[in-house]
Amino acid sequence: MPAQLYVPDGTGRLPGILVFHTLAGPGPNVDAFARELAGAGYVTLAPDVFALHDFGPDGRTDHPLILKDAEGTLAYLKRHPRVDPDRIALVGFSFGGRLAVLMGALHPEQVRALVIYYAITSHSLLRGPMLPSAAKAVPLTQRVGALRAPVMIHHGEVDANVPVAQARLLHQALVGAGKSSVLHVYPGADHLFNFALGADATFHPEAARLSWQRTLDFLTRNLK
């Protein structure tokens, strides 16, 4: 599986972070985010979980092949000689944010922190047609009971792709289940608000800056 691995200089063991891409696949924005996290003192791995399979007309949402490949990346990161396997976090964007929650629920004993950017919580609450895999996807609200890791959620208030109600739904379910969750909503920010590169970017500088600092502070508290 192709992946971008970023390892800070030095010899000591560090926390490890998996960074999951959007439905558009890997790209320069996700790579830049992973590289900057490495600059903050983490070993980061940004895999391409779409690369190995043809998913056909059913779509990729919650696909068991993707979940298995994501498990492989988690195992690889934990075995890396520079990684402390007891200090692992997951960060995901949109599709990748949902994948991070699913992985945190499937492997709660292996994940110390989750950072979720503008993910879909329940496909059934979205408007428009859905591919078969999305139509069958179980809402994340039914997965939160298995989570142990604290969660930080970032979402743009005017997200035209994934309404902010999706983030509020996930946050409320987490709090209702007695989990640690914090939700940050960014006024004026759209989907992919912290992506500055490419035609699909809707960069919002202040939201990007603030969410980055909050993410760093959150990871420091839970991993360092």
Side-chain angles (χ1 to χ4, degrees), residues 34-85:
R35 188 168 55 250
E36 289 175 5
L37 279 177
Y42 302 95
V43 177
T44 60
L45 184 67
D48 179 355
V49 295
F50 296 161
L52 300 183
H53 312 284
D54 179 2
F55 297 97
D58 287 345
R60 299 163 170 173
T61 301
D62 298 2
H63 199 291
L65 290 175
I66 288 177
L67 291 172
K68 282 295 183 184
D69 286 345
E71 288 174 347
T73 65
L74 177 59
Y76 176 88
L77 185 64
K78 286 170 66 70
R79 290 196 304 265
H80 192 280
R82 290 292 310 282
V83 171
D84 178 351

Side-chain angles (χ1 to χ4, degrees), residues 3-198:
Q4 295 293 329
L5 176 67
Y6 299 99
V7 183
D9 293 336
T11 58
R13 287 199 166 191
L14 300 169
I17 302 178
L18 277 180
V19 183
F20 291 125
H21 57 69
T22 72
L23 189 61
N29 292 291
V30 174
D31 288 347
F33 192 95
R35 188 168 55 250
E36 289 175 5
L37 279 177
Y42 302 95
V43 177
T44 60
L45 184 67
D48 179 355
V49 295
F50 296 161
L52 300 183
H53 312 284
D54 179 2
F55 297 97
D58 287 345
R60 299 163 170 173
T61 301
D62 298 2
H63 199 291
L65 290 175
I66 288 177
L67 291 172
K68 282 295 183 184
D69 286 345
E71 288 174 347
T73 65
L74 177 59
Y76 176 88
L77 185 64
K78 286 170 66 70
R79 290 196 304 265
H80 192 280
R82 290 292 310 282
V83 171
D84 178 351
D86 294 324
R87 293 187 289 162
I88 300 291
L90 310 179
V91 177
F93 302 96
S94 195
F95 175 94
R98 181 178 176 87
L99 178 58
V101 174
L102 293 173
M103 286 291 293
L106 288 169
H107 304 282
E109 73 288 350
Q110 299 186 48
V111 179
R112 288 272 296 271
L114 291 167
V115 180
I116 313 302
Y117 282 81
Y118 33 77
I120 294 175
T121 299
S122 175
H123 287 81
S124 65
L125 297 180
L126 297 175
R127 296 178 181 177
M130 290 184 288
L131 292 172
S133 60
K136 294 184 294 185
V138 175
L140 294 181
T141 52
Q142 297 182 29
R143 305 295 192 198
V144 298
L147 291 174
R148 296 183 191 173
V151 180
M152 175 170 282
I153 305 167
H154 302 290
H155 214 104
E157 190 174 43
V158 296
D159 192 323
N161 188 300
V162 179
V164 68
Q166 294 277 322
R168 291 183 171 127
L169 181 64
L170 177 59
H171 174 64
Q172 290 165 3
L174 286 162
V175 172
K179 309 299 179 178
S180 174
S181 175
V182 58
L183 168 62
H184 296 293
V185 176
Y186 299 90
D190 202 343
H191 202 60
L192 308 180
F193 64 78
N194 57 329
F195 281 19
L197 305 171

